[in-house]
Each structure stands twice: as structure tokens, then as C-alpha cells.
Amino acid sequence: MKQGGTDAAKRAAGESAAEAVEDGMVVGLGTGSTAAHAIRAIGRAVDAGLDVVGVPTSFQSRELARDCGIPLADLDDASVDLAIDGADEVAGGDLIKGGGAAHAREKVVDASADRFLVVADPTKEADVLAHPVPVEVLPMARSTVAEAVEALDGEPDLRRAERKDGPVVTDNGNLVLDCDFGAIEDPAALAGRLSETPGVVAHGLFVGLADEVHVGTDDGVSVRELR
């Protein structure tokens, strides 16, 4: 598996996407180290007078946004103009997300936004998606979902927590199966099959949702518009 990119590359991507935030916007705040740089940049702009409201996608992004002084709202109370979020892997305009186990809430916020900007470093780019797909499952459905994944030629692996015994539990109280399908030639078809599996809360395939991809390097940023 590829090693993560440099902090400078992540910062460049996050700050580039944050420049798209305008006064009066409601902004979806993604989860992860690259999205965190965007949140900090938005916080600095708020401190300088920018009037925005953030909709966080996880406990982590909520806490960081509060620390940065960004006013917050829930999705029930606000319509998202722009979402900024990271990815574990990007191929064309399709993504795999869920390394932080926040992909269920991320997908709701990112899909609801008028525009969705992906922030990444070069290690996240690929010709074909092949990263294990995180699948959030109801605890009672862990075994049946695992069997369904195996029927799709995937290898499910229950995600274990670090620094504690037992599995990762999402903000929604569910479990995560990291499902290795190898090279995914048809992400849309696999996304559909996973979505229709009983017990699956959300999977980490984000197909056709992104509007722009901001890829940071140590020397700058490349921005690819998708639609």
C-alpha cells in the first residue's frame, strides 16, 4: 500500500480548496488529515471576517472546526453549498473513502452539496480503484454482509481499533468491514451491489459525486474539474 503524502502536499490541497469558500456559504467539512488543512484555512478566514457556517461530517471534524472558531450547523438545518473532503484513493472522478470510518456521514453531506471538492496528495491517485472498500454494517449483520461480500469476490476484514481491544465502532454505532476486491473495473456496478445488500449502512465507493479534485504537491496544486 502506498505511504501517505507529505504534510506540505496535503496542506497545499486543503488550502487550495478552501479558497473556493465564499461569504455566506454553508460548507461541508470533511474528515481526515488533508481535509483538516482546509478546515484550518477556513477558520483563519472566519477569524478575518468571513461569514460561513460549517456542517461537519464526524466528531473529529466537528471538534477541529470548533477549535478554529467556525460556526456549525446540522444538515437538517442548512443546505450545503460546498463540501470539501479527502479520499483514500482517486481514479478519474471516482473515489474510495472511509479510512476514518466516517464515510456514511461524509456521503450524505458530500452528495447533498451543490459542489463537492476532493482534496488529495499524489499518493492517493490511481488509474483504477483498488484500495479496500470500507463498508459500514449494522453489528447484527456483520456475518451476512461478509458472506455477501465474498459472493462478490471480495475479502472482508473486520476493522480493529487501535490502542483498545475490539473493533472500530463508527460515530453511528456500527462496525466497519474493509473489503478487498482487487482492481475495481466497474465501480458503479459494485457500488450498486453493495448498496442493495441488507445490513449495509454505507460503503466507501463515491461514484460520480465529485466536481473537482485538488491534488497538492510540495511545489503547488493541480486542479481537475470533472463537471
Side-chain angles (χ1 to χ4, degrees):
M1 186 177 295
K2 295 178 180 178
Q3 298 298 312
T6 66
D7 190 64
K10 294 177 180 181
R11 183 185 302 109
E15 292 180 353
S16 172
E19 291 176 2
V21 177
E22 299 177 356
D23 205 57
M25 278 187 170
V26 175
V27 184
L29 305 175
T31 301
S33 57
T34 310
H37 284 295
I39 294 174
R40 294 187 187 100
I42 294 168
R44 292 192 293 271
V46 168
D47 188 55
L50 183 70
D51 178 20
V52 298
V53 173
V55 176
T57 57
S58 66
F59 176 84
Q60 178 192 52
S61 59
R62 180 181 295 274
E63 290 299 293
L64 178 58
R66 281 177 172 167
D67 289 344
C68 292
I70 301 172
L72 299 178
D74 292 325
L75 196 57
D76 284 343
D77 304 318
S79 178
V80 178
D81 299 298
L82 179 74
I84 301 173
D85 211 345
D88 300 315
E89 192 168 54
V90 180
D94 297 330
L95 321 171
I96 293 177
K97 292 178 49 58
H103 52 288
R105 298 188 184 192
E106 289 173 331
K107 186 172 286 186
V108 172
V109 172
D110 296 346
S112 72
D114 292 340
R115 293 175 64 209
F116 170 30
L117 277 53
V118 179
V119 291
D121 64 76
T123 68
K124 303 301 193 300
E125 293 189 292
D127 294 327
V128 177
L129 294 178
H131 190 280
V133 179
V135 179
E136 182 171 342
V137 300
L138 296 173
M140 65 172 292
R142 169 194 165 189
S143 295
T144 57
V145 172
E147 291 173 359
V149 168
E150 290 170 348
L152 295 172
D153 297 324
E155 297 180 5
D157 183 35
L158 179 66
R159 188 180 298 182
R160 300 286 176 178
E162 296 181 4
R163 297 194 294 276
K164 70 175 285 291
D165 293 333
V168 164
V169 178
T170 71
D171 287 355
N172 306 313
N174 299 312
L175 305 179
V176 176
L177 297 175
D178 290 310
C179 304
D180 190 349
F181 295 95
I184 303 172
E185 300 296 341
D186 191 342
L190 179 58
R193 296 293 297 275
L194 291 173
S195 293
E196 67 189 16
T197 301
V200 170
V201 176
H203 57 75
L205 287 166
F206 284 48
V207 179
L209 294 181
D211 293 287
E212 290 182 8
V213 178
H214 293 238
V215 178
T217 69
D218 291 348
D219 301 317
V221 183
S222 67
V223 178
R224 186 169 72 252
E225 295 186 2
L226 300 173
R227 56 183 177 178

